[in-house]
């Protein structure tokens, strides 16, 4: 992992861009050694930067470090022709009101297969940074990546998952294997979201402690207090 | 309203039992003037006292007064033969796995009709106590009483509702008329609860700000952190 830029903020926190192999990422660290929250997102670091930076500031404010990496096939990373085809097929099927299950499998299953080992490499590298320690939390979407990470990566101790659609049916079997504490956020009035599928997936998670917070405000309108609740969830489980 | 007992706690708060007409109740007030939270419950003040006192202490801890009254037909109050009959019919129907809609109507609709004006009289009386001021929050079940109060009582500014079953179908029309901020608690794994009905009712509420918090722990196992979240909801809306 090579740091490619460094910016010290007024509050003493440090924001650094890095490259891990060919994967770009960003690390935010507070002034002292802190547990790490991984910020999941749908891909496209540059476009997502304002929202990621805001979520990172929320993590820093309660004493956590935060980090994110670009997803395979997104941002400046090489495109996958299969994924691009699946994305185009999905848009067309959604517009035509056709079933999308098979397309979602083609799009999301390879994404999970490729992204999860990259997140694990990122965890290896990030834990070697002097300001960062475990335990680690995962926060965000896609929920399929967060679910797989929760199953296969023992260094992740708790997860805040953003319920969204486009979950392969096979993910329900994995959800049953999740045992870490979960805090699931659902935008109740997100019209692009399959609410019943999100509720079914929440029901499937095997965790003894799982909480669903459903709020109004549309796809991107997660209320400030919902972010505060999620922050307190991490404070309970990562300290 | 006549106070019948008074107990000053070590933290300076005051716990007083009262009688309003023939309705017994309890008022908890902190050392200084505070907004009031009404504690709803399923009836039976004596049996419910430990949980009500615990919820009252949670309200006091964040600077609110709290009060509760006995429901019509519960505790030491005169029984209603119709309600007793409906309760017996409900137990029998549930045990036999028979439909309960008509029985729920017979049980809950008169309860709401009788209890809501009593809560409103209690609000009149409680607001005349020097340590108590508005705005007022309603917290608890039965969700049918909380819903009706949210529609008809303008002094109630926000409500934490405990999602439970036994909601008359007519309550859905009332739910659409609710506009105050709502925070709905659902015990996801409460086997005695009709989860889908609770989700449908949450969906029906007309409030622009409504939040559903679903947790594990069974019927009476609301986690401590869920109570803390509800307290913060009141702090946001009653201050």
């Amino acid at each position: 992992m090579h740091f490619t830029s460094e910016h010290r903020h007024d509050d003493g926190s440090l924001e650094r861009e890095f490259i891990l192999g060919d994967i770009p990422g960003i690390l935010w660290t507070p002034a002292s050694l802190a547990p790490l929250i991984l910020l999941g997102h749908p891909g496209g670091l540059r476009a997502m930067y304002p929202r990621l930076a805001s979520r990172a500031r929320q993590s820093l404010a309660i004493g956590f470090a935060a980090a994110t990496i670009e997803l395979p096939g997104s941002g400046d990373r090489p495109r996958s022709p299969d994924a691009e085809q699946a994305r185009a097929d999905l848009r067309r099927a959604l517009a035509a009101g056709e079933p999308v299950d098979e397309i979602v499998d083609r799009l999301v299953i390879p994404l999970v297969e490729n992204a999860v080992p990259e997140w694990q490499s990122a965890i290896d590298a990030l834990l070697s940074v002097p300001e960062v320690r475990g335990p680690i939390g995962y926060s965000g979407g896609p929920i399929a990546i967060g679910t797989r990470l929760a199953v296969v990566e023992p260094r992740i101790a708790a997860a805040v998952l953003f319920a969204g659609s486009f979950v392969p049916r096979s993910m329900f079997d994995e959800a049953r294997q999740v045992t870490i504490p979960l805090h699931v956020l659902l935008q109740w009035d997100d019209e692009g979201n399959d609410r019943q599928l999100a509720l079914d997936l929440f029901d499937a998670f095997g965790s003894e402690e799982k909480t669903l917070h459903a709020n109004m405000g549309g796809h991107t309108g997660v209320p400030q207090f919902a972010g505060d609740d999620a922050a307190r969830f991490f404070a309970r489980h990562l300290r």
Side-chain angles (χ1 to χ4, degrees), chain A:
Chain A
M1 185 171 64
H2 300 286
F3 290 113
T4 56
S5 79
E6 176 173 320
H7 181 70
R8 171 87 56 185
H9 293 282
D10 291 344
D11 59 1
S13 70
L14 202 57
E15 176 170 344
R16 286 173 279 187
E17 297 189 25
F18 63 81
I19 291 283
L20 177 71
D22 64 343
I23 309 167
I26 312 173
L27 171 64
W28 293 264
T29 47
S32 57
L33 183 66
L36 176 66
I37 294 175
L38 306 175
L39 305 179
H41 60 85
L45 268 194
R46 258 182 247 279
M48 290 294 297
Y49 176 80
R51 286 169 63 193
L52 288 165
S54 160
R55 288 163 59 196
R57 277 192 297 275
Q58 216 159 17
S59 301
L60 290 168
I62 54 165
F64 294 114
T68 191
I69 56 173
E70 185 59 278
L71 287 185
S74 286
D76 298 333
R77 302 188 62 189
R79 291 288 175 277
S80 146
D82 290 347
E84 295 296 300
Q85 183 63 52
R87 230 180 287 270
D89 293 347
L90 182 63
R91 271 192 299 268
R92 195 185 33 71
L94 287 172
E98 291 166 12
V100 297
D101 278 8
E102 175 270 334
I103 304 171
V104 166
D105 283 355
R106 270 198 284 130
L107 182 63
V108 179
I109 291 174
L111 177 67
V112 172
E113 294 288 346
N114 294 325
V116 165
E118 293 185 354
W119 272 114
Q120 292 183 289
S121 301
I123 291 172
D124 295 340
L126 290 162
L127 285 178
S128 73
V129 175
E131 292 90 347
V132 174
R133 66 172 175 87
I136 292 173
Y138 181 88
S139 172
I143 197 166
I145 291 177
T147 301
R148 171 72 60 85
L149 271 169
V151 173
V152 303
E153 178 47 67
R155 292 173 291 186
I156 294 184
V160 171
L161 300 178
F162 295 4
S165 298
F166 312 138
V167 176
R169 289 283 150 188
S170 58
M171 198 50 63
F172 279 75
D173 290 329
E174 292 190 46
R176 286 181 197 96
Q177 298 169 45
V178 175
T179 57
I180 60 169
L182 292 184
H183 181 104
V184 178
L185 285 174
L186 169 64
Q187 284 302 92
W188 190 260
D189 57 345
D190 179 355
E191 289 183 9
N193 201 352
D194 184 337
R195 187 197 297 162
Q196 192 57 52
L197 185 137
L199 294 170
D200 290 346
L201 189 63
F202 176 73
D203 193 43
F205 284 118
S207 305
E208 198 176 316
E209 182 187 328
K210 58 180 178 181
T211 296
L212 176 75
H213 282 204
N215 287 293
M216 305 294 283
H219 183 66
T220 58
V222 178
Q224 173 69 34
F225 60 79
D228 296 342
D229 289 344
R232 274 184 293 266
F233 166 81
F234 278 133
R236 282 203 309 279
H237 291 289
L238 301 184
R239 284 229 178 91

